[in-house]
Amino acid sequence: MTTFVDRVELHVAAGNGGHGCASVHREKFKPLGGPDGGNGGRGGDVILTVEQSVTTLLDYHHSPHRKATNGKPGEGGNRSGKDGQDLVLPVPDGTVVLDKAGNVLADLVGQGTSYVAAQGGRGGLGNAALASARRKAPGFALLGVPGDLQDIVLELKTVADVALVGYPSAGKSSLISVLSAAKPKIADYPFTTLVPNLGVVTAGSTVYTIADVPGLIPGASQGKGLGLEFLRHVERCSVLVHVLDTATLESERDPVSDLDVIEEELKQYGGLDRRPRIVVLNKIDVPDGKDLAEMVRPDLEARGYRVFEVSAVAHLGLKELSFALADLVAKARAARPAEEATRIVIRPKAVDDAGFTVTREEAEGEPLFRVRGEKPERWVRQTDFNNDEAVGYLADRLNRLGVEEELMKAGARSGDGVAIGPEDNAVVFDWEPTVMAGAEMLGRRGEDHRFEAPRPAAQRRRDREAERDESSREFDGFEPF
Ligand SMILES: Nc1nc2c(ncn2[C@@H]2O[C@H](COP(=O)(O)OP(=O)(O)OP(=O)(O)O)[C@@H](O)[C@H]2O)c(=O)[nH]1
Ligand SMILES: [Mg+2]
C-alpha cells in the first residue's frame, strides 16, 4: 500500500532578484556614452495550486525543500536580466496552509485555487534606470532583493459532504462501497482503513461525496488506535454519520455505548458539535443484529437521532439512507453562503507600503534608533555598501521618505546609532543628518554646492520639486508602490 501523507512541513524559497548593472555605454570615438546598465530580473514566486489529479502530499514528504529560480542580473547595453521562473507546486483539493505556529494562511479548495507561499525578490535597477537630470551617470546599481524564505505546514482535509465515523469493522468502508462506485479495502480485522476513502453518491438530482475515517476506539483522543488525527478530514463535512455495528461479538459493546464512546472522542477533538448527525445501524442481515437494532432504536430516537437500519452486505435500507443523506446535504448547501468562487489567488497580506516607524531603544547605555518599515528595509537590502554613491543614494531615498525628519523628531542627534530592520537582521550605522531642522536640504552626498552658481530661493525650490517628480517617476515603471 502506498503511504498516505496528510501533513507535511515544507520549506519554500522564492527566487532572488537579479542585481542591477552599472555600465557606461562605450563606442569608438564616442568616449562619453550614457549609463546603459540594465535592470535585474525578478525572482520567481513559489505558488501552491490545487490540482485535482493530486491526492496526497507524499511528494512534499519526500522532498520538502523547494526553490524557485533567481532573476538574472542586468547587463550593459540596457539589457534587462530575465525574470526567474515561478515554481508551481500542485497540491490536493482541500489543502490547508499553516504557518509553524499553526495559524491558517490559506485554505485551498477548488481546482486552480492558488496561494503565493513565497514572493520572489525584486530585481535591482540598473544605472540607466537610476539616471536623472542631476545624477546623469550613476556609478552604481541596486542589488536584487533576496526572495522570501518560508516554513509552512500543509494539511490535507478531505472535502466530502458526508463523513462516516465509528468503531473499526463497523462497516464504514463497506457502506461507501455499496453507496458509491468507490472500491475501498474491506476486511474483518480492525483498522483495515488507514486513510480516508472517498466516494461519489448520486441520489436523485443530488450528487454528493462521502468519506470514511479510520476506525475510532475509546481513548482515540489520547492517541489510542490510529488516534484522532484523521478527524481533520471530517471537519469540512456537512453531515456526520455514526455507523454502529449491531453484530459485534465483543461482549462489552452495544450500539448505544459505542455511540457514546465515539461522541466522547468527537467532543475531545472539538469543533464538530453543531454538525448534523444521523445514526446507521449496520449488519441487520445478521438475525441477532436485526433484533438488537430494533431493541436500541427507541433509545437512539429518544436522543433525537434519525435512525436507519441497513445492511451493506445484503443491500438493505441503502436507498432510503442515500436519499436522506442527499436531503441533508442539499439543505446544508442551501444554508451555506454562495460557494466561494474557485480559482482564486491568495497572496500574503499586502505589505504596509508607505509606513515606517522610528523607535528609541538603549544599546549598551547609548541611544539606538530603530527604523522599521517595508521600504526602508528593502532599500537597505538593495544597497551595495561598498559603493559610496550607492550609500549616498540610499541616504537620499530615506531622506525623501521622511526618515531623517522622524529621526530628528524622535530626538536623534548626529553620531547616534540608527538601525534599519529587525533586531536579528538590521543594518546599523552612525547617523549623519543630511537635513537640518526645518527640512532644508544642505546638500546631497556626491554633490558639492560650491561648484554651483548660487541659485535664488525660488529656483532652488523649483529644482527640488523637479527632482522629487523625477524620483517618483524613476521608480514607477519598476517598483509598483
Ligand atoms: N454481515 C455483515 N457484515 C458486514 C456488513 N458490513 C460490513 N460487514 C463486514 O464487517 C467487516 C468490516 O467491514 P469494513 O467495511 O472493513 O469495516 P470498517 O468500518 O471500514 O472498518 P475499519 O476500516 O477497520 O475501521 C468486513 O468483514 C465486512 O464484510 C453487513 O452489513 N453485514
Ligand atoms: Mg474501513
Side-chain angles (χ1 to χ4, degrees):
M1 188 194 141
T2 50
T3 331
F4 179 88
V5 171
D6 68 349
R7 187 188 156 93
V8 293
E9 211 179 296
L10 189 61
H11 312 280
V12 291
N16 300 330
H19 296 328
C21 168
S23 147
V24 177
H25 182 68
R26 272 174 224 288
E27 216 175 297
K28 238 180 184 175
F29 314 120
K30 252 197 183 176
L32 286 176
D36 70 348
N39 304 322
R42 204 191 148 79
D45 294 338
V46 179
I47 303 169
L48 306 175
T49 299
V50 172
E51 184 53 66
Q52 297 292 358
S53 61
V54 176
T55 52
T56 88
L57 299 168
L58 190 63
D59 275 1
Y60 305 113
H61 177 69
H62 292 319
S63 37
H65 294 269
R66 303 295 178 113
K67 188 178 188 319
T69 54
N70 297 334
K72 290 269 189 304
E75 291 175 40
N78 287 311
R79 284 190 299 265
S80 296
K82 257 181 89 168
D83 288 347
Q85 264 193 349
D86 291 344
L87 176 66
V88 177
L89 301 175
V91 295
D93 201 357
T95 299
V96 179
V97 188
L98 308 127
D99 64 16
K100 283 186 90 173
N103 302 309
V104 174
L105 302 173
D107 197 350
L108 305 178
V109 179
Q111 169 77 25
T113 303
S114 301
Y115 172 69
V116 180
Q119 260 175 326
R122 295 171 190 226
L125 293 185
N127 68 338
L130 290 165
S132 67
R134 299 195 60 180
R135 199 190 316 106
K136 290 204 172 60
F140 71 101
L142 296 186
L143 301 180
V145 176
D148 276 352
L149 297 173
Q150 300 289 349
D151 295 329
I152 53 176
V153 173
L154 303 183
E155 270 187 10
L156 183 53
K157 297 191 184 189
T158 309
V159 185
D161 298 300
V162 175
L164 306 182
V165 293
Y167 266 72
S169 297
K172 302 177 293 299
S173 301
S174 302
L175 267 177
I176 288 191
S177 76
V178 291
L179 290 171
S180 75
K183 292 283 159 268
K185 184 172 175 185
I186 293 164
D188 61 359
Y189 55 85
F191 304 118
T192 314
T193 301
L194 298 171
V195 304
N197 298 300
L198 196 63
V200 180
V201 184
T202 308
S205 58
T206 309
V207 177
Y208 61 91
T209 49
I210 185 165
D212 64 0
V213 178
L216 299 171
I217 55 170
S221 50
Q222 276 90 55
K224 292 240 176 79
L226 293 177
L228 290 182
E229 207 190 319
F230 285 102
L231 277 181
R232 83 167 68 97
H233 291 274
V234 313
E235 276 177 29
R236 293 178 199 276
C237 300
S238 340
V239 183
L240 280 176
V241 176
H242 280 291
V243 181
L244 303 177
D245 191 339
T246 60
T248 176
L249 298 173
E250 292 173 47
S251 55
E252 74 281 14
R253 279 178 53 197
D254 71 81
V256 176
S257 63
D258 282 5
L259 177 81
D260 288 339
V261 166
I262 301 297
E263 272 299 329
E264 179 56 31
E265 299 302 330
L266 293 179
K267 201 169 117 198
Q268 292 298 325
Y269 184 78
L272 297 167
D273 297 350
R274 289 216 296 271
R275 221 50 56 86
R277 295 144 154 78
I278 63 167
V279 164
V280 165
L281 294 164
N282 189 32
K283 308 195 185 177
I284 56 158
D285 56 295
V286 179
D288 287 352
K290 176 73 182 159
D291 293 345
L292 185 57
E294 273 165 17
M295 214 171 84
V296 297
R297 175 189 267 275
D299 199 352
L300 294 166
E301 280 174 347
R303 295 182 182 207
Y305 291 107
R306 270 180 82 188
V307 178
F308 294 82
E309 290 176 30
V310 309
S311 163
V313 165
H315 294 227
L316 298 171
L318 297 176
K319 199 158 182 191
E320 207 191 342
L321 172 64
S322 159
F323 275 85
L325 289 173
D327 206 39
L328 284 168
V329 168
K331 281 203 185 95
R333 285 180 185 162
R336 213 177 301 149
E339 286 285 322
E340 315 88 78
T342 55
R343 222 158 304 170
I344 41 173
V345 176
I346 307 155
R347 292 191 164 266
K349 68 171 172 44
V351 273
D352 178 17
D353 259 343
F356 68 90
T357 57
V358 173
T359 44
R360 190 193 151 104
E361 299 170 6
E362 292 278 325
E364 289 152 20
E366 302 277 331
L368 177 73
F369 294 84
R370 186 174 300 281
V371 179
R372 296 299 314 266
E374 197 268 329
K375 275 186 194 166
E377 289 177 33
R378 171 160 48 83
W379 291 346
V380 162
R381 290 196 298 275
Q382 288 177 315
T383 301
D384 172 4
F385 284 91
N386 296 318
N387 183 318
D388 288 345
E389 220 183 323
V391 176
Y393 179 72
L394 171 66
D396 287 351
R397 286 174 119 179
L398 293 173
N399 187 359
R400 275 200 300 271
L401 188 66
V403 173
E404 298 223 322
E405 234 178 294
E406 285 305 315
L407 280 168
M408 221 171 278
K409 279 190 201 152
R413 279 182 310 190
S414 184
D416 284 348
V418 168
I420 299 183
E423 239 158 82
D424 54 347
N425 186 19
V427 171
V428 185
F429 52 89
D430 292 337
W431 190 44
E432 274 175 56
T434 56
V435 278
M436 293 292 280
E440 176 63 8
M441 226 170 278
L442 262 190
R444 292 167 178 279
R445 291 178 198 197
E447 292 166 9
D448 192 326
H449 287 291
R450 285 169 305 183
F451 296 135
E452 285 180 19
R455 291 168 296 165
Q459 176 68 44
R460 284 216 305 271
R461 195 169 55 242
R462 271 201 301 278
D463 284 357
R464 259 203 322 271
E465 273 159 15
E467 181 153 318
R468 221 176 359 246
D469 287 352
E470 198 174 80
S471 57
S472 52
R473 176 170 52 80
E474 128 194 334
F475 301 119
D476 278 351
F478 307 95
E479 309 186 316
F481 275 34

